[in-house]
Amino acid sequence: MSTMASNGHRDRLARAGVIATGGLLWTFLVLIPINHLDLWPHMSTANGIAAGLPLGILGLFTLWPDRLLALTAFPLSHLPLFITFPELMGARVYGAHAFLAVTLATVLFVIVCSRSSRPGKATATPPERGTLTHARQGMRLLWIHTITHTAIGASMVGALYFYRPFRLTLRAAYPHNEGVALISLGLLVFTIWVVLMARHLVSRLGAVLLSPQTHTLEWLRFSVECNAIDRARASLGWSILIAALSLGVLTVLLIMGT
Amino acid sequence: MRSQKFRRVLYEVVGIVLVLVSIAFFWTSVSFLSERDYIAAILEIFVGFALVRAGLELTKIALIRGDRP
C-alpha cells in the first residue's frame, strides 16, 4: 500500500516538474526573444493572448494532468505567436548558445513529461484522512516553491542575457568569443538552477512531503533536536561569540577608517 | 493550538520570503560579475544558496510540525 501511495506522490512531483520545466521553456521560447527584439510595443491584445496561451495550457495541465496534453498541446500552443511574429524564430534570436539552451530545456521537459501519468490511472488506494490533509496542505507549499524556483532560473538567465553592463563587460573581455563565453556562463547558471531544484526542492522539501517514511524520520530528528537543551545552549553560545567577534572587527575597521 | 497555527503560517511565509530574497542575491552576483569582482559574485551565489536552503528548511519545519501534536 505504501508503494502505491508513493507512486501517487511521485506523480504529483512529476506534475510539478512539468510545470517548472514548461515555464522555463516558455521563458526561453517566448519571453526572452520578445524582450530581445523589443516587440512588446508592437503587440496587440490578441498577440498578448497568443503569447500567454502556453501558460494557459500549463494551467489546464494542473487540472487535467495528461502527458499527451503536455507533449502535444503545449508545444502547438506556441504556433499562433510564431506565425504572427516569425522573427521570434529568426537568426537574430537563435545563435548557437540560445539554440543549445532551448534544446536542453526541451529535453528536460520531455523527460519530466514522460514520468507523469495519464489521468484516471489508479496509482494509489485512498490514503488515510490525516495523510490526505497533510498532502493537500503541503502540495500548496510545494507549488509556491516550484514557482519561486522557476523565477530564480528565469531571473538568472534574464540577468545573463539582458543586463546591459554585464553584456558590455563580456564583449570587452572576450571580443572574439563573446558567444562562447555567454554559452559557458549560461550552462553554469543552468547547472546551478538544476542543483537548486534537485538538491533543495526535490530532495529536501519534496521528499519530506511525498514520502511518509522520510516525513516521520524528519519529525523524529526535529523533536530530538528540540529536546537537546545542552546542544541548543552550545549553539547559542557559539552564535553570540561569532556575532561579538564580527561586531568587534567591524568597529575596529570603522575606527581605523575614520 | 492557535499559536501553533500562527507559528506554522509564520514559518511558511518567512520560508517563501527567504527564497524570494535569494533571487535578488543571484541577480546581484551577475552585476558583480559585470564589474569583474569574481570573489564577491561567488560569495553572493553562496548567500543565495544559503537563503534557499534556509527557506526550504523553514517550510519543512512548518510541514512536519503542522500535523503533529
Side-chain angles (χ1 to χ4, degrees):
Chain A
M1 181 174 165
S2 69
T3 311
M4 292 174 83
S6 67
N7 281 341
H9 294 321
R10 207 177 301 134
D11 284 346
R12 275 189 221 120
L13 192 62
R15 262 179 247 163
V18 170
I19 302 295
T21 50
L24 192 72
L25 194 58
W26 179 81
T27 306
F28 281 149
L29 286 173
V30 177
L31 193 63
I32 292 177
I34 286 178
N35 275 321
H36 181 63
L37 298 174
D38 200 18
L39 287 176
W40 289 117
H42 310 289
M43 290 187 83
S44 63
T45 311
N47 293 331
I49 292 171
L53 192 61
L55 294 181
I57 297 292
L58 281 181
L60 188 65
F61 179 83
T62 59
L63 299 174
W64 193 47
D66 184 0
R67 73 175 136 194
L68 277 177
L69 179 77
L71 285 171
T72 55
F74 179 72
L76 288 175
S77 65
H78 290 83
L79 281 182
L81 186 70
F82 291 156
I83 290 168
T84 318
F85 292 105
E87 59 267 39
L88 286 175
M89 304 296 284
R92 276 189 66 196
V93 174
Y94 284 97
H97 49 283
F99 185 71
L100 187 66
V102 170
T103 307
L104 281 174
T106 309
V107 169
L108 198 65
F109 178 73
V110 171
I111 289 171
V112 174
C113 279
S114 66
R115 296 182 77 87
S116 68
S117 64
R118 290 162 183 273
K121 184 182 169 188
T123 52
T125 53
E128 292 170 17
R129 192 179 167 192
T131 314
L132 196 65
T133 313
H134 157 70
R136 200 179 296 132
Q137 286 169 345
M139 279 313 288
R140 177 173 52 83
L141 279 174
L142 188 63
W143 279 116
I144 294 171
H145 279 284
T146 304
I147 291 166
T148 51
H149 276 69
T150 310
I152 289 174
S155 67
M156 287 167 80
V157 172
L160 273 186
Y161 282 85
F162 300 116
Y163 189 59
R164 197 170 167 74
F166 175 72
R167 291 298 298 269
L168 291 175
T169 308
L170 203 65
R171 198 168 295 158
Y174 306 99
H176 303 297
N177 295 315
E178 190 198 347
V180 177
L182 197 60
I183 194 171
S184 308
L185 284 168
L187 280 173
L188 176 71
V189 163
F190 185 74
T191 310
I192 288 173
W193 183 75
V194 169
V195 169
L196 270 178
M197 288 290 284
R199 186 170 162 74
H200 293 287
L201 185 65
V202 176
S203 72
R204 288 179 190 279
L205 193 61
V208 169
L209 180 63
L210 304 176
S211 161
Q213 290 92 346
T214 313
H215 183 268
T216 309
L217 278 174
E218 286 290 337
W219 162 250
L220 287 171
R221 192 167 69 87
F222 178 68
S223 58
V224 165
E225 283 182 2
C226 282
N227 292 325
I229 299 294
D230 291 339
R231 193 176 159 186
R233 279 180 184 153
S235 298
L236 185 65
W238 275 109
S239 303
I240 291 171
L241 187 66
I242 290 168
L245 276 174
S246 309
L247 199 62
V249 170
L250 191 65
T251 311
V252 169
L253 285 175
L254 281 173
I255 291 170
M256 283 174 70
T258 54
Chain B
M1 183 69 188
R2 198 172 170 179
S3 71
Q4 194 177 350
K5 192 180 176 185
F6 172 74
R7 194 176 295 175
R8 181 197 156 121
V9 172
L10 184 71
Y11 284 172
E12 286 180 14
V13 171
V14 174
I16 292 163
V17 168
L18 283 177
V19 177
L20 286 175
V21 169
S22 75
I23 295 175
F25 280 92
F26 285 121
W27 179 277
T28 321
S29 73
V30 177
S31 74
F32 276 122
L33 273 180
S34 69
E35 294 162 13
R36 300 194 185 187
D37 196 346
Y38 301 113
I39 301 293
I42 290 169
L43 287 174
E44 289 279 307
I45 287 175
F46 276 119
V47 172
F49 266 113
L51 279 176
V52 169
R53 180 169 177 173
L56 288 180
E57 287 290 334
L58 268 179
T59 311
K60 198 172 80 178
I61 289 172
L63 274 175
I64 60 178
R65 278 186 69 102
D67 52 352
R68 299 280 174 167

